[in-house]
Amino acid sequence: MTHRVHTSGVGMDSQTIRFTMVQKIQSQGLQDARVAQALRAVERHRFVDSALVPQAYEDTSLPIGMGQTISKPSVVARMLALLCEGRGGPLGRVLEIGTGCGYQAALLSHIAQEVYSIERLRGLHDKARENLRHLCLRNVQLILGDGMLGFSEGAPYSAIISAAGGMGIPQAWFDQLAVGGRLVAPSESPNGQQHLVVIDKTDSGLVHTVLEPVLFVPLKSGVS
Ligand code: SAH
């Protein structure tokens, strides 16, 4: 069904623009059908300020307030595809660190059975709650808290994804990851360069894989 929006800037049919965005990301290498379906389903323009709506379907990161940004769609797609890699069915319980505006949490709700998303800034936690309200996603729980400590109440997680990068990976995330689970996060090396890292928790321990350089907002401790 075609869904028409009247928000200025996406005056056209937003579904067509969104499908074009997804096709572009697929032509750049996205292969996972579940991630593509989620990207087609979630209206990114509803998660940004009205002034930024015209850019909502460009492959660009956008400010979401409080000095934070929503990642570019191709990077979100890349991280979600890494989470899904090699798994037949939907992901089980997922922990997202850095709810931000709630866009990625909405995507996760399409590819996971249960989503716990934690944000340390009250202003953004509230904004995400507002953005997600009309979607009525029954499998998403938003938490205000310090994601560096993970969220032990929901552990163990079959997947953990972070939208903020610090020096290395907090121990709590390893502890709260299920055996057979996968963690995808930006991580800063001592030279200050951030890379995307994938960590698989296997029967015989943690397997780290360092991927391409990325640029995410900093992972900070505490709630404010
Ligand atoms: N996934 C988000 C991206 C938000 S940017 C989206 O789709 O909009 C990353 C977010 O991580 C920021 O909102 C920032 O406040 C948050 N963050 C940084 N450190 C954190 C921590 N320790 N715990 C929880 N959230 C954190």
Side-chain angles (χ1 to χ4, degrees), residues 87 157-160 177-183 199-202 206:
R87 306 205 198 202
Y157 298 99
S158 67
I160 298 180
L177 191 62
V179 173
R182 173 171 272 197
L183 189 161
I199 293 155
D200 289 305
K201 191 165 179 174
T202 71
L206 299 168

Side-chain angles (χ1 to χ4, degrees), residues 45-110:
H45 70 274
R46 295 196 187 272
F47 292 82
V48 297
D49 284 350
S50 53
L52 298 171
V53 163
Q55 294 165 64
Y57 297 109
E58 287 171 16
D59 195 21
T60 175
S61 57
L62 294 171
I64 53 173
M66 306 191 78
Q68 307 302 316
T69 53
I70 178 176
S71 307
K72 38 193 239 179
S74 59
V75 171
V76 174
R78 166 88 168 128
M79 291 177 83
L80 296 181
L82 285 167
L83 276 195
C84 293
E85 201 174 57
R87 306 205 198 202
L91 297 175
R93 197 178 304 142
V94 177
L95 175 66
E96 177 190 38
I97 292 98
T99 313
C101 66
Y103 173 67
Q104 185 170 268
L107 293 172
L108 283 167
S109 81
H110 287 261

Side-chain angles (χ1 to χ4, degrees), residues 68-69 96 98-99 101 104 119-121 124 146-147 163 217 220:
Q68 307 302 316
T69 53
E96 177 190 38
T99 313
C101 66
Q104 185 170 268
E119 171 59 55
R120 62 179 291 274
L121 298 176
L124 288 175
D146 181 358
V217 296
K220 294 186 177 170

Side-chain angles (χ1 to χ4, degrees), residues 150-197:
F151 184 64
S152 59
E153 289 87 333
Y157 298 99
S158 67
I160 298 180
I161 181 167
S162 176
M167 284 282 264
I169 304 291
Q171 181 62 38
W173 301 359
F174 296 138
D175 297 343
Q176 293 174 22
L177 191 62
V179 173
R182 173 171 272 197
L183 189 161
V184 178
S187 177
E188 204 176 299
S189 49
N191 69 5
Q193 172 91 67
Q194 256 185 15
H195 284 87
L196 203 56
V197 301

